[in-house]
Amino acid sequence: MGADSNPASVIFLPDGQHAVVVLRGPHQLALLNRRRDGFDVQKQRLDLGYAPNTMDITRSGLIAIGDQDPVHPAVHLVRLNDGTLNLLGTIPVAPGPEPLRFSPDGRYLAVGAVNNSNKDPSKHGTLTLYRVDGSRLALIASENVGRWPQGIMFSPDGHTLVVQNTTDKTMTVLKWDGIRLHPAGTLSMTAGPAAAATSW
């Protein structure tokens, strides 16, 4: 990927024949193509804002990438079409969009915002839920969480979310009823949780 590429996130596409890698150094998304003996890297790369970092994907292949640009924090939506990565749109979000996760059915995207809460004890993180409408995101709900949110998990039915708060050493539990997010408790941890994944 190059000496200054600084790869941050990697995911496989649903077809199993491609993978994409966020390169923080050049602010790009790189495509890997499967070959008989492994993968090769496509020379053409997709430029992505100022500070792309985390990434998630739906079963239909819609990719969301969080951009931590301090001036214009955003989420980029990308899809692979005919062997080429295409930028579908860029949506402004709250400061420090680090964790993000699609719901299991792909209808919603949850975006956690650090909001400088990893440095300023008076700040808190937020969890914002967006409805996925093709290549657009519509903000539908938001709720405060702990300091320095770092990971998000949906329950299999999509009605419960767990947000990891690294600075607070907690996990915030939220319930989604289709209209609002409702705080449902806090789980204490012995260390600051920093990453999460599920099998669905």
Side-chain angles (χ1 to χ4, degrees):
M1 292 299 174
D4 299 319
S5 57
N6 192 10
S9 302
V10 58
I11 54 173
F12 285 98
L13 273 62
D15 62 10
Q17 303 302 307
H18 302 87
V20 289
V21 183
V22 172
L23 305 178
R24 295 195 61 170
H27 322 306
Q28 293 175 330
L29 192 64
L31 177 67
L32 283 70
N33 302 300
R34 187 172 184 177
R35 296 292 180 255
R36 236 179 298 179
D37 57 348
F39 287 80
D40 60 24
V41 183
Q42 191 176 81
K43 291 183 179 180
Q44 182 181 4
R45 296 176 179 177
L46 179 64
D47 293 325
L48 276 182
Y50 177 77
N53 186 17
T54 50
M55 179 170 50
D56 197 24
I57 188 170
T58 66
R59 293 177 183 175
S60 69
L62 180 64
I63 305 167
I65 303 105
D67 191 327
Q68 295 179 312
D69 183 343
V71 179
H72 302 291
V75 168
H76 306 290
L77 294 179
V78 172
R79 190 180 288 277
L80 179 67
N81 288 318
D82 298 324
T84 302
L85 292 169
N86 295 281
L87 178 63
L88 304 179
T90 297
I91 296 90
V93 297
E98 199 154 355
L100 50 76
R101 185 74 63 195
F102 283 108
S103 60
D105 59 9
R107 295 176 57 195
Y108 304 103
L109 176 67
V111 179
V114 177
N115 193 30
N116 204 37
S117 61
N118 57 332
K119 300 175 181 178
D120 185 344
S122 69
K123 300 285 188 178
H124 56 76
T126 60
L127 187 286
T128 303
L129 202 59
Y130 297 85
R131 184 177 63 251
V132 180
D133 183 13
S135 61
R136 302 173 59 189
L137 298 177
L139 192 158
I140 53 175
S142 186
E143 187 61 49
N144 292 338
V145 295
R147 292 179 295 163
W148 200 0
Q150 279 283 288
I152 300 170
M153 292 174 283
F154 274 92
S155 61
D157 64 5
H159 293 303
T160 302
L161 296 91
V162 178
V163 183
Q164 297 174 302
N165 309 306
T166 299
T167 298
D168 291 343
K169 298 181 181 179
T170 63
M171 296 200 295
T172 301
V173 182
L174 300 170
K175 294 291 186 179
W176 169 241
D177 63 7
I179 300 175
R180 292 180 55 197
L181 288 167
H182 302 273
T186 301
L187 305 176
S188 297
M189 308 293 289
T190 57
T198 59
S199 60
W200 50 83

